[in-house]
Amino acid sequence: MRRPRKLRRLSSTTRRIAADLIARALVSNGFRPHHHTTFPLADGTYGNHGSPGLSLLVLGDSIAASLGTTAADETLGAQCAAALSRATGRAVHLRVLARPGATTGVMKYQVRHALRLPHPPGIALIIVGSNDIVAGIPLRLAAKTLAHHVTRLRRAGWHVLVGTCWDVGRVPAVRHWLRTPLSRRSRRLERLQTTAARQAGAVAIPLRDPRHGTRPELFAVDHIHPSARGHALHLQALAGALTDITGMPGGFGPTPPA
């Protein structure tokens, strides 16, 4: 039996408020999640415009959206598209559907949008999980939901690459007494995501790196999100898998210009 609409709305609003309050309590710099949502728009075509193109789709949370960067060419999506174009000699049509604050569950709207895009399927990069950690979402549920998203994209013809949850406990703004439990929870979600993604047909790449705890320049001025250098570090982890995917059987056909 379905709950009344007013109750469903109230529950959703309550969850958003709770997530906001939890996030504020976790960090020590007064960060307010809903006041930090602006990020550079990097959508477009990268590389040789006259060559057959590849579609690159980026889904997930603020890390995937590159909140914390100040220019489009600093974003993870743009860096991935440029690197992929250089490696393949083909134009790469980038579309970023990732949004700050997205949990794995909320990402269903991004997947729904992706399946309606006019371009033929290409590579879909998913980075999500940090907000699931902060909001206290059950980790097995988050991993199961991720597998569902991957399955839908794979059935539609997308090759899926999942950058697994990084170590939220190493974020500089996180209060010291919370770093150990958040790191433990992050590592558990990383393991669950890896298993779920691979079983659903995706390539899983770990983004957790010990340098996040020793190099402050890897973070933006809010001390929470990656800087351009931080995204370049993520690109190092993702680059090999991105180019390997282009050589998979069934390859990618040309896509129309963006």
Side-chain angles (χ1 to χ4, degrees), residues 40-174:
L41 299 178
D43 291 9
T45 301
Y46 293 75
N48 182 3
H49 288 236
S51 63
L54 296 172
S55 294
L56 175 61
L57 189 62
V58 181
L59 307 99
D61 56 21
S62 56
I63 297 177
S66 298
L67 185 64
T69 58
T70 57
D73 60 358
E74 297 177 347
T75 65
L76 180 61
Q79 291 188 47
C80 286
L84 191 56
S85 178
R86 288 192 299 269
T88 62
R90 300 171 66 177
V92 175
H93 306 304
L94 172 66
R95 184 68 182 272
V96 179
L97 298 180
R99 291 296 180 265
T103 61
T104 308
V106 170
M107 216 187 80
K108 66 182 179 182
Y109 300 107
Q110 300 174 25
V111 174
R112 188 179 301 168
H113 189 171
L115 297 179
R116 295 173 179 169
L117 292 176
H119 288 184
I123 301 173
L125 170 62
I126 297 174
I127 300 176
V128 72
S130 296
N131 294 308
D132 297 83
I133 296 291
V134 171
I137 291 172
L139 301 186
R140 288 188 180 277
L141 174 61
K144 181 179 179 181
T145 305
L146 174 64
H148 177 68
H149 296 329
V150 171
T151 298
R152 292 190 68 192
L153 290 166
R154 293 288 292 133
R155 286 176 177 170
W158 290 89
H159 292 265
V160 183
L161 178 62
V162 175
T164 57
C165 185
W166 68 341
D167 191 342
V168 178
R170 289 184 178 270
V171 172
V174 168

